[in-house]
Amino acid sequence: MADQVTCHAWNADRTLLAVCPNNNEVLIFQKPSQPEETWTKLYTLKEHDALVTEIAWAPKTNRIITTSQDRNAYVWSFEGDVWKPMLVILRISAAATSVKWCADERKFAVGSGAKVLAVCNHDEANNFWVSKQMKQFTSTVSSVAWDPTSSVIIATACTDYKCRIFSAYMKGVDGKNVETRWGKDPKFGTLFLEVASLGWVRDVAFDATGTTLAFASQNSTIGFVDGASHPFFELPSRSPNPAPSSTPYPSIPHSPPATHAAAPPGGFSPLAPVCKHTGLSVRAPMPQSPRAATPPSRSCASQKCRSPKSSSFRMAPWWVWATTTTRFSLGALALGGPGWAS
């Protein structure tokens, strides 16, 4: 396999791993029962004509979505002992950059370099996947994230320096009288919230409750938005006075309870901001240092911690883990899975 892995995705029970070895293929490996044993390659998914950019593996339906620079997406279904692809009608004019399933797995969203977001669903009558587009962007949609408690609310990261939250409500798919924290049956494409950043927004993620949104920017900062009252604050970069060449956070995936994530050796070294006044993480999603005397039970109340430019933060190293129930891991890749120490 190539030295570089472009993207990866686990199946529901973390026994299978799909990876793109920096080409137009997706390889599916079986995780060995012991760390010292060899991974077994089971399947190779070949359908794309260019680099695969993202993989999303649905935990309930066991379907895999792959997107590519060839402007296509395929939904793969496991039938018998074969993965069978079905082309998605995206109607985009540039590379597909990202993809995510919604909570009930009846829809998924594809970001693209065509300045559009394609929200896709299965057309039962014709038995193929169709898309409906949002076009409120002025640059590449680099990442998408669904509210884990709703199949209607979606967030986007964009290289136009904006993070946004939209409605992806489809009456024919979601039904009527769908309640969200933003109202009932919100019209498709309704823009609920737009937050400006000081750099390209690279990635975006909701916490497990859907109430906090985090996004990583090219300027080495992490932004947080409270979904209930919508206040926004930004955590400082890796150093007090970062140079223009400071390494940005490439991703900010949510880490569910009882999971671990680790920066790959020789790769990124994410740092966890912790308030030096109280020893608490600034908000629950950020990892908490075990050296702090006070357990992470609430947000920091110090007024000095309210300003993004405050110097009241100390940095905990990337190998420190949190014990809070809601966390984010920055730029992390874990190849462990259940029962392994990542």
Side-chain angles (χ1 to χ4, degrees):
M1 192 168 69
D3 294 334
Q4 181 178 353
V5 173
T6 307
C7 51
H8 77 287
W10 290 93
N11 71 337
D13 61 6
R14 300 287 177 126
T15 58
L16 300 177
L17 178 67
V19 300
C20 170
N22 199 33
N23 59 20
N24 63 331
E25 299 178 351
V26 172
L27 310 180
I28 298 180
F29 291 88
Q30 183 174 34
K31 189 188 80 172
S33 57
Q34 299 296 327
E36 64 273 9
E37 296 178 356
T38 304
W39 291 65
T40 304
K41 187 174 73 171
L42 301 179
Y43 307 98
T44 301
L45 309 186
K46 296 182 179 180
E47 202 66 34
H48 290 288
D49 298 325
L51 178 70
V52 174
T53 54
E54 186 71 282
I55 307 168
W57 201 325
K60 300 175 185 176
T61 61
N62 198 40
R63 291 182 177 134
I64 296 175
I65 312 171
T66 57
T67 57
S68 169
Q69 291 180 356
D70 63 8
R71 301 174 294 170
N72 291 322
Y74 289 92
V75 176
W76 301 79
S77 301
F78 193 64
E79 300 177 9
D81 193 38
V82 178
W83 285 98
K84 295 187 177 181
M86 182 179 291
L87 180 66
V88 182
I89 311 301
L90 289 179
R91 299 179 292 117
I92 58 176
S93 58
T97 57
S98 57
V99 63
K100 293 291 186 299
W101 287 101
C102 70
D104 63 14
E105 299 178 10
R106 292 188 296 172
K107 296 184 295 187
F108 59 87
V110 178
S112 74
K115 307 178 186 179
V116 299
L117 175 71
V119 180
C120 310
N121 67 282
H122 189 250
D123 185 333
E124 299 292 347
N126 297 294
N127 192 31
F128 58 81
W129 293 83
V130 295
S131 64
K132 190 173 183 179
Q133 295 183 344
M134 297 184 195
K135 301 181 179 180
Q136 297 98 315
F137 308 96
T138 59
S139 191
T140 298
V141 180
S142 53
S143 183
V144 298
W146 292 88
D147 182 336
T149 66
S150 170
S151 295
V152 173
I153 307 302
I154 190 169
T156 61
C158 189
T159 56
D160 63 4
Y161 292 36
K162 300 288 179 63
C163 176
R164 300 175 175 90
I165 300 178
F166 292 98
S167 166
Y169 171 72
M170 295 179 175
K171 183 178 178 181
V173 179
D174 302 305
K176 299 180 180 179
N177 301 319
V178 176
E179 294 287 349
T180 74
R181 62 176 55 88
W182 308 89
K184 185 172 72 173
D185 296 350
K187 183 180 177 181
F188 181 88
T190 299
L191 177 61
F192 295 129
L193 186 67
E194 182 178 273
V195 180
S197 176
L198 296 178
W200 294 347
V201 184
R202 300 282 299 272
D203 201 9
V204 62
F206 282 98
D207 71 345
T209 65
T211 57
T212 301
L213 181 72
F215 59 92
S217 299
Q218 182 74 12
N219 66 333
S220 303
T221 59
I222 308 298
F224 288 88
V225 179
D226 189 317
S229 55
H230 317 321
F232 164 70
F233 63 92
E234 192 172 48
L235 298 183
S237 58
R238 299 170 182 234
S239 59
N241 298 295
S245 60
S246 294
T247 305
Y249 292 116
S251 61
I252 183 165
H254 172 254
S255 295
T259 61
H260 303 277
F268 304 105
S269 296
L271 299 176
V274 179
C275 174
K276 71 179 182 182
H277 294 103
T278 63
L280 298 176
S281 54
V282 180
R283 288 188 63 85
M286 295 304 303
Q288 159 71 13
S289 170
R291 299 177 184 175
T294 310
S297 59
R298 60 179 175 81
S299 299
C300 179
S302 173
Q303 291 298 320
K304 294 182 180 180
C305 300
R306 305 258 179 211
S307 171
K309 298 182 179 180
S310 171
S311 60
S312 62
F313 296 95
R314 59 183 171 84
M315 308 306 281
W318 61 266
W319 41 263
V320 174
W321 303 123
T323 56
T324 53
T325 57
T326 305
R327 295 175 291 151
F328 292 92
S329 56
L330 311 181
L333 171 62
L335 294 179
W340 282 18
S342 301

